[in-house]
Amino acid sequence: GADFTSSFVRAPFEMVKQRLQVAGGGKTAGMVLGEIVKKDGVGALWKGYGSLALRELPFDLIQFPLYEFFKKRLRKAREAKGQEQAMWEVMVCGSAAGAIASAITTPLDVVKTRIMVQSEGVAYKGVADGLRRILAEEGPKALFKGVVPRVMWISLGGAIFFGSYEATKKQVMPLFQKAEDEANAAK
């Protein structure tokens, strides 16, 4: 549910960003937003919602379990040596999980982008149609256009996200445990 909800919120921003990236010079986000609404109506801001959600769901289904798997393997190796897992190791796990998930889901990202910026004559009927047509008309390489920058920024983001998450958890969880212990002692 969270991926569908967050995609619903993000879709208009993605639409404006994608259109702005292919727009002629000098346009602002506000101008592009106005053009979309004027030409196609407010609903057009969610034109790529389905493809965005269909990209996010498999991404998360790959990234989070991979992160936990990598973290668990490294933690076991550290514990065998009597050491605590280092923060840099957690960040590497997040980076690797993000890199793998982003590479695997790049074809879905390519289709999402094309659906959001397509013109009337090219119109893909949906994600499956987009995947099929790109593969048939341009070959498999076209489904991985932009894979290197996508993997780079998402792997960096994965390191920061999971590193921040684990650092915050390490600081906050003892506070929750203390509050729970105090509440149980008061009973």
Side-chain angles (χ1 to χ4, degrees), residues 1-2 39 53 60 73 84 88-89 91 106 115 128-129 139:
K39 182 179 178 216
D60 287 348
R73 293 292 300 260
E84 189 176 311
W88 71 266
E89 292 173 317
M91 294 175 77
T106 294
I115 287 172
D129 181 55

Side-chain angles (χ1 to χ4, degrees), residues 12-168:
F13 296 97
E14 280 284 320
M15 175 63 80
V16 171
K17 179 189 79 166
Q18 298 296 338
R19 294 277 179 98
L20 189 58
Q21 288 175 342
V22 298
K27 290 195 177 179
T28 65
M31 293 167 74
V32 170
L33 173 65
E35 288 173 4
I36 293 168
V37 171
K38 185 177 180 179
K39 182 179 178 216
D40 302 315
V42 175
L45 293 171
W46 285 271
K47 182 178 177 183
Y49 165 73
S51 59
L52 179 61
L54 287 174
R55 178 196 69 185
E56 293 300 310
L57 184 61
F59 178 88
D60 287 348
L61 288 173
I62 296 166
Q63 182 187 34
F64 285 97
L66 270 179
Y67 167 71
E68 291 297 334
F69 172 77
F70 293 151
K71 186 176 82 164
K72 184 178 179 180
R73 293 292 300 260
L74 283 174
R75 185 175 56 240
K76 282 184 178 182
R78 282 289 191 173
E79 287 172 353
K81 296 177 183 177
Q83 300 171 334
E84 189 176 311
Q85 193 166 32
M87 186 55 63
W88 71 266
E89 292 173 317
V90 168
M91 294 175 77
V92 167
C93 293
S95 179
I100 293 167
S102 63
I104 292 169
T105 58
T106 294
L108 297 172
D109 188 58
V110 168
V111 172
K112 183 262 322 166
T113 300
R114 291 195 183 188
I115 287 172
M116 288 184 157
V117 300
Q118 68 187 347
S119 61
E120 296 301 319
V122 183
Y124 297 113
K125 294 178 182 122
V127 175
D129 181 55
L131 288 168
R132 183 189 56 73
R133 285 180 50 196
I134 292 168
L135 191 58
E137 295 168 10
E138 302 173 52
K141 279 187 177 180
L143 290 172
F144 289 91
K145 285 184 177 180
V147 69
V148 171
R150 178 171 158 75
V151 166
M152 289 174 60
W153 82 262
I154 291 176
S155 64
L156 177 60
I160 294 167
F161 173 81
F162 285 108
S164 299
Y165 169 73
E166 294 293 345
T168 302

